[in-house]
Amino acid sequence: MEKNKKVLVVGSGGRCHAIVKALARSPQVEKIYCAPGNAGIAEDAECVAIGVEDVDGIVNFAKENNIDMTVVGPEAALAKGVVDALEAEGLKAFGPTKAAARIESSKEFAKQIMEKYGVPTAAYKAFDNFDEAWEYVKNRPLPAVIKYDGLAAGKGVVVALSYEEAEAALRDMLLDSSFGKGRVVVEDFLDGPEFSFMCVVSGNKVYPLAMAQDHKRAYDGDKGPNTGGMGAYSPVPFITEEIRDIALREIIQRTADGLVAEGVPFKGVLYGGLILTKEGPKVIEFNARFGDPETEVVLPRLVSDFYELIEAAVEGKDCETKWSDDAYLGIVLASEGYPGSYEKGAEIKGLENVTGEVYHMGTKRDGHKILTSGGRVLMVVGKGKDLAEANAAAKAEIAKIDCPTLFHRTDIGKASL
Ligand code: AMP
Ligand code: GLY
């Protein structure tokens, strides 16, 4: 196999860093560019100063540099139609078209597909009028689950434990709308442990990836506000083969087939944010991309060639994947205040002493210094023969990192340790 492929990865967070590292292990990949990347990614790829929503900039770069494949990470880029624009120029791109990415960007579209094709999920109703929404919610049992219908970086969901909280959320999303044009989906509350099932999908073909579990709440014990994710691990022992097979058949395959039937075939990563209820696995949400921070613990387990998998999906070919039995557990170091407001620019010391894997989520280089430049800053991933060992390894590495404005959860993976 020739090592001659040039790849462009679009993105700048930890997920993007994990994608870059997985591509760097491929025997076919000669050169990796990243737009725009970050201080950590710069060690594994050549970063180019093109923003993730700069559609023309991305297309021109891919054309001028004879890029064989562009991998599009962030939802904002997908929703902007980066994949459509690349394909219109005859360039290969891994990621869904703007139309197919609506499975993530529109909660209502996702719900309609699930309802029509029999994918298990919570019953729902959509509203754009405050009075009608409030009338519905106040006559339903609590907790009330209220979701803003649009991209809101994981922060557009309120699980209201009281009617006051539910009313305030509806007011915020439909009347004051700090998010944009207001429309909400109100759905039944589902109970059980959550897990993330990411699958590479190409039309009707599904190539499952290893299971992971994310931790959405900011603080230990699943307390505090929802975040983009504070840590993750893989494998997930409580997801048996049987549950996985049900999720694959009834959730991912049905959704992939449904999207084909609707004339919007999906190509890329279909991420099922699932919950294991007493009646079996159900969908909380779909994403149209790799999850962050799940990707940082899933892709390191992929033993087979990642580029081959991506290319197979883009070309609609079969592909076998091989996975390691090792366990990976990653802990996010976030800026104090996240997911609310936080300060940037604090120096991170001690990174040179870390021997395990560190994924940069929001960092910036300033001369020889590495500074914080985001809410989620670093993800430290430990590896072991089981999750307890991986947890100990991650914690030992975190102890070497010195930055007073960073905090992290200490109970990642607790349910499985
Ligand atoms: P989402 O952005 O849709 O993934 O929702 C964020 C978080 O809200 C999820 O990870 C769940 O913890 C919670 N959530 C969303 N929908 C429901 C639901 N129907 N029942 C229970 N919890 C939910
Ligand atoms: N970890 C959740 C997400 O990627 O949306």
Side-chain angles (χ1 to χ4, degrees):
M1 187 173 291
E2 257 192 278
K3 198 175 177 73
N4 60 2
K5 298 284 193 267
K6 289 191 183 135
V7 190
L8 170 64
V9 182
V10 176
S12 64
R15 156 184 60 206
C16 179
H17 197 181
I19 291 170
V20 164
K21 278 179 188 271
L23 286 168
R25 290 194 294 272
S26 165
Q28 304 182 60
V29 173
E30 180 198 0
K31 175 83 189 168
I32 307 171
Y33 297 96
C34 188
N38 65 31
I41 294 170
E43 290 171 18
D44 299 291
E46 183 176 332
C47 294
V48 291
I50 303 171
V52 302
E53 295 186 48
D54 179 359
V55 180
D56 292 341
I58 292 165
V59 172
N60 288 337
F61 184 88
K63 269 205 290 205
E64 283 161 15
N65 293 277
N66 299 316
I67 296 297
D68 294 289
M69 180 73 68
T70 301
V71 181
V72 185
E75 55 273 35
L78 296 167
K80 264 259 151 100
V82 169
V83 171
D84 309 60
L86 286 162
E87 288 179 344
E89 293 289 334
L91 297 162
K92 284 186 189 162
F94 181 77
T97 58
K98 188 173 171 176
R102 285 172 66 221
I103 197 77
E104 170 169 5
S105 61
S106 166
K107 302 258 185 218
E108 195 177 0
F109 175 71
K111 281 293 191 185
Q112 283 167 352
I113 294 285
M114 287 189 262
E115 193 167 59
K116 186 162 171 188
Y117 296 95
V119 176
T121 188
Y124 81 104
K125 229 169 142 55
F127 299 93
D128 50 22
N129 175 285
F130 170 80
D131 293 326
E132 286 169 21
W134 176 227
E135 187 61 32
Y136 176 79
V137 169
K138 74 181 182 199
N139 290 305
R140 308 270 310 165
L142 290 169
V145 181
I146 300 168
K147 301 188 175 185
Y148 177 74
D149 192 19
L151 294 178
K155 289 168 230 155
V157 176
V158 173
V159 179
L161 300 177
S162 69
Y163 288 109
E164 290 74 26
E165 210 186 327
E167 190 189 4
L170 289 174
R171 229 172 242 295
D172 186 31
M173 293 182 199
L174 292 171
L175 297 179
D176 312 331
S177 189
S178 48
F179 299 101
K181 190 176 166 288
R183 188 164 172 81
V184 300
V185 167
V186 178
E187 61 179 52
D188 289 352
F189 178 77
L190 299 176
D191 202 12
E194 292 177 47
F195 60 105
S196 307
F197 191 18
M198 300 189 283
C199 293
V200 170
V201 168
S202 176
N204 300 100
K205 279 193 203 307
V206 176
Y207 323 74
L209 306 184
M211 285 291 170
Q213 192 182 37
D214 184 14
H215 296 62
K216 291 252 170 74
R217 299 289 184 140
Y219 314 128
D220 281 2
D222 288 330
K223 300 267 173 18
N226 253 316
T227 69
M230 295 298 293
Y233 64 91
S234 177
V236 185
F238 67 81
I239 302 300
T240 60
E241 278 297 306
E242 189 193 354
I243 296 163
R244 175 194 174 273
D245 290 347
I246 293 171
L248 187 57
R249 209 171 48 242
E250 297 186 359
I251 294 177
I252 306 292
Q253 188 69 55
R254 276 184 199 169
T255 304
D257 293 346
L259 288 167
V260 170
E262 293 295 309
V264 280
F266 191 94
K267 162 179 54 67
V269 173
L270 182 61
Y271 163 128
L274 311 184
I275 187 162
L276 184 56
T277 71
K278 288 200 179 70
E279 295 103 55
K282 294 191 182 186
V283 177
I284 293 270
E285 65 159 352
F286 278 122
N287 292 325
R289 50 168 176 83
F290 282 106
D292 198 356
E294 291 92 330
T295 305
E296 293 92 311
V297 293
V298 167
L299 285 186
R301 295 188 60 211
L302 180 65
V303 177
S304 50
D305 179 359
F306 182 47
Y307 186 86
E308 186 190 354
L309 173 62
I310 283 178
E311 191 180 61
V314 170
E315 296 177 355
K317 292 194 294 215
D318 289 336
C319 182
E320 292 283 326
T321 52
K322 270 211 218 79
W323 297 88
S324 135
D325 289 333
D326 286 333
Y328 285 79
L329 185 146
I331 301 171
V332 170
L333 308 188
S335 300
E336 218 120 44
Y338 174 78
S341 59
Y342 51 83
E343 284 181 14
K344 297 181 188 179
E347 184 178 356
I348 309 166
K349 293 185 186 157
L351 279 174
E352 66 283 0
N353 303 324
V354 176
T355 47
E357 291 286 2
V358 179
Y359 296 88
H360 289 237
M361 305 182 97
T363 62
K364 199 173 82 182
R365 183 173 282 284
D366 177 19
H368 292 299
K369 295 180 186 166
I370 300 283
L371 309 180
T372 64
S373 79
R376 293 188 296 173
V377 174
L378 296 169
M379 164 104 156
V380 178
V381 175
K383 173 187 171 185
K385 63 175 186 325
D386 55 26
L387 288 164
E389 217 177 87
N391 180 41
K395 291 202 167 127
E397 298 298 345
I398 286 176
K400 300 176 189 168
I401 299 174
D402 177 17
C403 181
T405 63
L406 293 180
F407 78 99
H408 65 273
R409 280 184 60 163
T410 63
D411 64 346
I412 301 301
K414 195 170 174 198
S416 296
L417 291 176

